[in-house]
Amino acid sequence: MPELPEVEVTRMGIAPALVGRTVSAVSLRAPALRYPLPAALARHLKGKTLAGIARRGKYLLLDFGTGTVLLHLGMSGTLRLLPPRTPAGKHDHVDLVFDDLMLRLNDPRRFGALLWIEGDPNAHALIKDLGMEPLARSFTAKALHRRLTGRSAAIKLAIMDAHVVVGVGNIYASEALFRAGIAPRTPAGKVSLARLERLVTAIKETLRSAIRAGGSTLRDFFGCDGDPGHFQLEHRVYGREGEACRRCGTKIRQIRQGQRSTYYCPKCQR
DNA sequence: CTGGTCACCTGGAAGC
DNA sequence: TGCTTCCAGGTGACCA
């Protein structure tokens, strides 16, 4: 159930074990994920060496030189490193075998994706229109301000829009707005530059600390009992409806925005 | 372009 | 116990 930190921790967990290694076998199991699985994947990958794993937003890009495996974990996807020939359980959709080590994709809800891309992956339809990387230097209040000027949508929905900034999911959107002291329903275009400074800082800090917290779970990528998607920091507002605000004691409220739950402190966030 | 809604899927928890 | 309902960390497609 990954937001950007979970995806980045997954990348950090699997890359050292797999980069530089060669694919010996591929297993695909029905049914399809968000898109049909590429039937020719084994033909494309067998004998190919993994040159690197990059992340763009919540997508993982496995670079095999002649092409790229594009991976998205959706709402419920996880990747694990297992001994080859580990029996496949329910929702184990794809195995990439690297001789004595296997990368397995499990995704119960099947909102995830695995695609084979030839050519520049950044030109792919799913990638090319993505917004700013929140951890990049170029993600600044000024840049965000430029992007949000004139927009009437709620600030919470705006920072969750992957065409504006990638990787801020439903949990971290609420958490970042709390840290920045901004009410989630404020029209995005009406948030001042000064307050966007606080928001950009809050987004970077929230994501960075979650990645740091996830670092302690990296060993969980090995072995069948691993559960690497489920680390998380103590939330300040998310999931705490009716509980006391950690800063001022006011009861945390829950509302619906775009059919998703938003949590906020009515006193700390204006 | 923008904003709003729906759809895609399974499973766990809560309610009766 | 068993059935029903609601909810879940994402995002592309579609509409006005």
Side-chain angles (χ1 to χ4, degrees):
Chain A
M1 317 174 190
E3 296 193 29
L4 184 147
E6 288 80 356
V7 177
E8 179 61 16
V9 168
T10 296
R11 194 189 67 77
M12 295 190 299
I14 64 174
L18 297 181
V19 170
R21 304 189 54 166
T22 300
V23 175
S24 52
V26 173
S27 298
L28 301 180
R29 299 179 193 90
L33 301 178
R34 170 181 279 275
Y35 310 104
L37 293 169
L41 192 64
R43 184 164 57 73
H44 291 308
L45 289 186
K46 256 187 164 177
K48 296 291 181 342
T49 299
L50 178 60
I53 306 180
R55 179 188 58 73
R56 177 74 173 99
K58 295 171 194 163
Y59 290 94
L60 288 174
L61 302 159
L62 281 61
D63 174 14
F64 285 95
T66 53
T68 304
V69 171
L70 179 75
L71 259 177
H72 196 291
L73 299 178
M75 293 269 260
S76 56
T78 52
L79 289 172
R80 277 180 313 172
L81 296 169
L82 296 166
R85 291 184 299 281
T86 304
K90 218 177 177 186
H91 311 307
D92 286 336
H93 302 294
V94 180
D95 297 335
L96 302 187
V97 183
F98 298 76
D99 290 320
D100 59 344
L101 191 60
M102 173 172 83
L103 181 69
R104 173 167 282 172
L105 172 65
N106 178 282
D107 184 4
R109 284 179 78 182
R110 293 196 276 122
F111 287 172
L114 185 150
L115 296 174
W116 172 252
I117 302 175
E118 286 171 353
D120 180 8
N122 292 311
H124 189 272
L126 293 175
I127 302 289
K128 66 179 169 59
D129 295 323
L130 290 178
M132 296 176 274
E133 280 292 333
L135 298 179
R137 246 185 239 285
S138 52
F139 180 59
T140 61
K142 237 184 208 170
L144 187 57
H145 189 257
R146 210 174 304 131
R147 196 66 186 69
L148 296 182
T149 303
R151 289 191 62 165
S152 63
I155 186 67
K156 194 242 190 183
L157 296 176
I159 60 173
M160 286 181 67
D161 181 347
H163 299 299
V164 175
V165 53
V166 294
V168 183
N170 198 42
I171 293 178
Y172 297 122
S174 282
E175 294 295 305
L177 286 168
F178 173 78
R179 290 194 190 209
I182 298 169
R185 283 177 289 208
T186 312
K190 291 197 169 172
V191 181
S192 69
L193 186 59
R195 308 190 82 205
L196 288 180
E197 294 279 4
R198 298 185 59 186
L199 181 56
V200 164
T201 301
I203 289 172
K204 288 175 188 276
E205 283 178 0
T206 305
L207 296 179
R208 283 212 181 95
S209 53
I211 291 170
R212 220 174 300 127
S216 61
T217 71
L218 286 186
R219 64 190 168 76
D220 293 341
F221 285 94
F222 296 90
C224 14
D225 54 344
D227 197 7
H230 285 245
F231 69 91
Q232 51 198 211
L233 290 179
E234 188 177 50
H235 300 318
R236 301 191 185 178
V237 288
Y238 186 85
R240 299 192 64 241
E241 194 212 356
E243 295 176 44
C245 171
R246 299 191 200 284
R247 185 185 290 157
C248 76
T250 303
K251 279 189 177 180
I252 300 300
R253 287 195 192 154
Q254 177 183 16
I255 56 173
R256 299 293 286 183
Q257 290 182 287
Q259 288 130 249
R260 318 294 298 277
S261 285
T262 299
Y263 300 86
Y264 71 104
C265 171
K267 189 170 174 194
C268 295
Q269 295 173 252
R270 302 283 184 173

